Amino acid sequence: MGKSKELVLVLVLAALVSGSASAASESRRVIESEGDVYRRNLLANGLGNTPPMGWNSWNHFNCIIDEKIIRETADAVVSTGLAKLGYEYINIDDCWAEISRDDKGNLVPKKSTFPSGIKALADYVHSKGLKLGIYSDAGYFTCSKKMPGSLGHEEHDAKTFASWGIDYLKYDNCNNGGSKPTVRYPVMTRALMNAGRPIFFSLCEWGDLHPALWGAKLGNSWRTTNDIADTWDSMVSRADMNEVYADYAKPGGWNDPDMLEVGNGGMTKNEYIVHFSIWAISKAPLLIGCDVRNMTKETMEIIGNKEVIDVNQDPLGVQAKKVRMEGDIEIWAGPLSDYKTAVLLLNRGSSSRYPITALWEDIGIPPKTVVEARDLWEHKTLITQFVGNITATVDPHASKMYVLTPVA
Ligand code: GLA
């Protein structure tokens, strides 16, 4: 019997013998907290203490992928310095398998595009100090319909993934026969837990059944939106849809507004800075979606901004919220460890520049606190210290991002 179970027993017995109300309520408290621990630990894979960081093939390559792209991407993630910044997962999305399983029921890597197999790819990616992710679907076929899904094959596929050395599974929701994700996803959670290898579990049911309400028991992240496109409107609307679930994000389980489009060419530099800043402050998975083998210096400056990444990876793990909205102006803020606060001043309008002021009362800083402000995109600590509020003038479709640190 584990120590905590012994303790529960002792307390229950003590309550019975002495009839003491306080011992009884103490025993109830311990039992309840054991229950909480049990519920929290249904997904006891120990992963996702901070939002996952890495790359995924879908946004840039769609179905046109092969093992060479994956290997070269792993090389580039290391050679560009992205790996050192924390990007570790190299995730293969849809279209990596043959349409038919083999006669033993195994998923078969597509011979024309992944001739060496996934195990060899995992070995290669691991040899670079990175991790390999893969994709399947809680339905009969994946969304592309070009490969099978895992519905009815969960145990088998989870074991296959573990035997290949897979570290991350994105699990999609297409062609599911109409049953609820809350029925289909737990089967894969259990299968992964029994597969003998910690595998980050990314639920991708697009926010259909409000997965923030149940996702933490089943996975390490859950999509809150439909697919992102490489446009300003698509990007900010994913951010909005994701924001309403802020209270549900915490270490071990994160809201996922979909993967990054930075570097794919559909937005301006300022818009991509807004994109990366909102994803970071929202504790979203930072999954790069461009071709990192051929990215520009500008793209690297954005996805490689260590100060912004540090906000995303802060150990407190609290997702920022919109704390004020006035017309085109928005203020997003969230606490960080060591009494710091991350703030984003956002101009959503497309034509005017505005001065934007964040008030301490809005962003949760005690009124008389004096802070130092670090501008995360200028990489400068402002000379002036601030008390009560901070103001900046912000261009259209642009933002300013600060970390505010109380001055002793
Ligand atoms: C769905 C997912 C996408 C991507 C595609 C692949 O649309 O939401 O992120 O995985 O399927 O077909």
Side-chain angles (χ1 to χ4, degrees), residues 58 93-94 135 143-144 170 172 204 206 223 227 258-259:
W58 184 255
D93 208 281
D94 201 353
Y135 163 98
C143 294
S144 68
K170 171 176 172 181
D172 218 335
C204 179
W206 322 303
R223 280 273 294 276
D227 290 10
D258 206 359
M259 300 167 295

Side-chain angles (χ1 to χ4, degrees), residues 69-392:
I69 294 175
I70 306 298
R71 255 192 257 111
E72 289 178 359
T73 297
D75 295 346
V77 164
V78 173
S79 66
T80 53
L82 288 170
K84 281 220 171 70
L85 289 162
Y87 293 95
E88 59 175 347
Y89 290 107
I90 305 297
N91 292 349
I92 311 170
D93 208 281
D94 201 353
C95 307
W96 60 269
E98 296 286 356
I99 188 73
S100 300
R101 291 170 181 268
D102 70 12
D103 51 12
K104 297 194 184 78
N106 297 312
L107 289 164
V108 181
K110 209 163 178 207
K111 285 190 189 66
S112 57
T113 46
F114 290 86
S116 319
I118 304 296
K119 170 93 175 68
L121 207 47
D123 290 346
Y124 184 77
V125 167
H126 291 157
S127 77
K128 311 229 76 166
L130 300 170
K131 296 180 171 161
L132 188 68
I134 210 158
Y135 163 98
S136 188
D137 187 290
Y140 300 109
F141 290 96
T142 65
C143 294
S144 68
K145 295 203 176 134
K146 294 199 166 117
M147 57 171 276
S150 292
L151 189 61
H153 301 263
E154 291 87 349
E155 285 279 331
H156 195 112
D157 290 352
K159 290 218 166 79
T160 303
F161 297 149
S163 76
W164 286 343
I166 291 295
D167 304 293
Y168 183 118
L169 174 65
K170 171 176 172 181
Y171 204 43
D172 218 335
N173 194 32
C174 281
N175 309 305
N176 56 47
S179 75
K180 288 188 176 167
T182 43
V183 172
R184 287 172 285 110
Y185 280 75
V187 185
M188 186 51 100
T189 303
R190 275 190 290 273
L192 291 173
M193 296 309 294
N194 292 330
R197 183 178 176 85
I199 297 180
F200 186 103
F201 192 27
S202 152
L203 316 179
C204 179
E205 62 79 270
W206 322 303
D208 275 5
L209 214 63
H210 305 292
L213 307 187
W214 45 267
K217 292 180 208 162
L218 303 184
N220 301 107
S221 66
W222 44 88
R223 280 273 294 276
T224 53
T225 73
N226 275 323
D227 290 10
I228 194 170
D230 188 14
T231 66
W232 168 262
D233 286 342
S234 172
M235 183 275 289
V236 289
S237 62
R238 293 326 86 170
D240 293 342
M241 288 183 260
N242 189 65
E243 192 267 347
V244 297
Y245 299 109
D247 284 337
Y248 295 94
K250 59 175 187 291
W254 308 101
N255 290 312
D256 175 5
D258 206 359
M259 300 167 295
L260 296 164
E261 291 284 9
V262 181
N264 280 333
M267 291 183 241
T268 65
K269 180 177 184 190
N270 277 345
E271 290 173 340
Y272 278 143
I273 288 176
V274 170
H275 182 11
F276 196 68
S277 301
I278 297 185
W279 262 238
I281 206 170
S282 303
K283 311 291 147 118
L286 296 182
L287 295 173
I288 300 165
C290 70
D291 183 357
V292 290
R293 303 168 309 169
N294 299 304
M295 68 182 163
T296 62
K297 204 166 149 268
E298 185 176 293
T299 297
M300 181 60 196
E301 262 171 47
I302 299 172
I303 60 179
N305 185 327
K306 184 175 181 319
E307 297 197 66
V308 176
I309 293 170
D310 285 348
V311 168
N312 180 259
Q313 296 291 304
D314 183 83
L316 195 64
V318 175
Q319 179 174 333
K321 294 179 182 173
K322 287 186 210 191
V323 295
R324 188 176 279 271
M325 293 179 270
E326 281 166 13
D328 288 337
I329 288 171
E330 278 178 8
I331 294 156
W332 296 55
L336 301 173
S337 51
D338 298 329
Y339 304 102
K340 296 180 184 193
T341 305
V343 187
L344 187 75
L345 310 180
L346 172 62
N347 179 354
R348 293 175 70 134
S350 54
S351 46
S352 309
R353 303 179 82 205
Y354 298 113
I356 304 182
T357 300
L359 304 173
W360 276 201
E361 65 199 67
D362 283 340
I363 62 179
I365 300 182
K368 293 188 181 130
T369 312
V370 180
V371 306
E372 193 176 82
R374 177 80 181 169
D375 182 324
L376 304 189
W377 288 101
E378 294 291 329
H379 302 294
K380 273 188 201 135
T381 303
L382 305 190
I383 299 164
T384 328
Q385 295 186 335
F386 299 84
V387 59
N389 64 73
I390 182 169
T391 301

